[in-house]
Amino acid sequence: MPDRATPATSPASSAASASPPPSASARRSDATRAAILAAARARFAADGYERATIRAIAKDAKIDPSMVMRYHGNKESLFAAAVSVDLRLPDLSALPRDQVGHALVSHFLDLWEESGELTAILRVGVTNTAGAERLQRVFREQLLPVAQVVCPDPEQVPARAALCASQLLGLALTRYVLRIPAAVALARQEALAWLAPTVQRYLTAPSP
């Protein structure tokens, strides 16, 4: 009696059971999107919102301007996509109370040095409504909860967080956007020594 052959798995059923790899067109689309966002971040940081143009961003990304419009529709939507920022703020509840100012200022100094996106937001925020709203949202959603952990009076959290922002953004504006020589010349430890006690007082001192 002849052996019974094992039924072969059909190509169609094999294809259905395995996830297909990304197509060439999908890979090209992802690469194009990444190139647009990288070019937009750099251009917004260098030129600000008003001066940055879709044409210039497309040129930097080495694509046609129509492709930028295809993916993002307009400059405002592109800006929102390009400068989505996570401040990655430290957990102040894990620190001794008298070290929170130092930790927060140190963290922000590192961020300003590393992230062109923050510079882009700040540059745009002082000249454009969309940029100002984005900057307000970042600090409202990320700085307020951190301040709430250590502030002695919950009702004062918004005011104290705003005062902290005035110091942190003020240094960033003078050092990284306006590039005032004396602010640029400050060594990191000098800037930290000046700002940390002030931010500490804003966060934890009794109300004046």
Side-chain angles (χ1 to χ4, degrees), residues 23 29 32 39 48 63 65 83 85 99 101 112 114 122 137 148 156 167 169 187 202 205:
S23 65
S29 177
T32 299
I63 59 173
V83 294
V85 173
Q99 294 180 19
W112 292 118
E114 296 170 1
L122 186 59
R137 189 179 309 122
Q148 193 169 18
Q156 295 179 341
Q167 296 296 310
L169 294 179
Y202 286 155

Side-chain angles (χ1 to χ4, degrees), residues 97-113:
R97 183 60 61 90
D98 61 355
Q99 294 180 19
V100 296
H102 185 280
L104 199 58
V105 174
S106 179
H107 181 77
F108 268 94
L109 286 171
D110 289 341
L111 279 181
W112 292 118
E113 294 290 345

Side-chain angles (χ1 to χ4, degrees), residues 5 25 38 75 155:
S25 61
K75 188 165 74 169
E155 294 184 358

Side-chain angles (χ1 to χ4, degrees), residues 21-96:
S23 65
S25 61
R27 291 193 296 270
R28 285 196 299 270
S29 177
D30 290 344
T32 299
R33 191 183 303 275
I36 292 171
L37 293 178
R41 291 185 192 105
R43 184 60 63 176
F44 284 129
D47 295 346
Y49 185 87
E50 299 298 339
R51 292 177 56 203
T53 66
I54 295 294
R55 185 175 297 278
I57 291 167
K59 182 179 179 181
D60 293 343
K62 297 180 173 59
I63 59 173
D64 189 88
S66 64
M67 294 296 290
V68 179
M69 304 302 290
R70 173 184 170 187
Y71 281 99
H72 296 285
N74 55 45
K75 188 165 74 169
E76 185 170 336
S77 296
L78 175 59
F79 178 76
V83 294
S84 177
V85 173
D86 180 2
L87 297 178
R88 308 189 307 277
L89 294 175
D91 180 8
L92 298 186
S93 66
L95 296 174

Side-chain angles (χ1 to χ4, degrees), residues 99-177:
Q99 294 180 19
V100 296
H102 185 280
L104 199 58
V105 174
S106 179
H107 181 77
F108 268 94
L109 286 171
D110 289 341
L111 279 181
W112 292 118
E113 294 290 345
E114 296 170 1
S115 176
E117 292 179 35
L118 284 174
T119 304
I121 290 181
L122 186 59
R123 188 184 297 275
V124 174
V126 298
T127 60
N128 177 267
T129 300
E133 290 174 353
R134 175 51 59 92
L135 193 58
Q136 291 168 11
R137 189 179 309 122
V138 167
F139 277 82
R140 180 173 64 249
E141 295 176 355
Q142 299 184 47
L143 184 60
L144 273 176
V146 171
Q148 193 169 18
V149 170
V150 295
C151 288
D153 186 344
E155 294 184 358
Q156 295 179 341
V157 167
R160 289 173 181 254
L163 289 168
C164 289
S166 73
Q167 296 296 310
L168 299 168
L169 294 179
L171 176 66
L173 181 66
T174 56
R175 186 178 176 93
Y176 302 110
V177 177

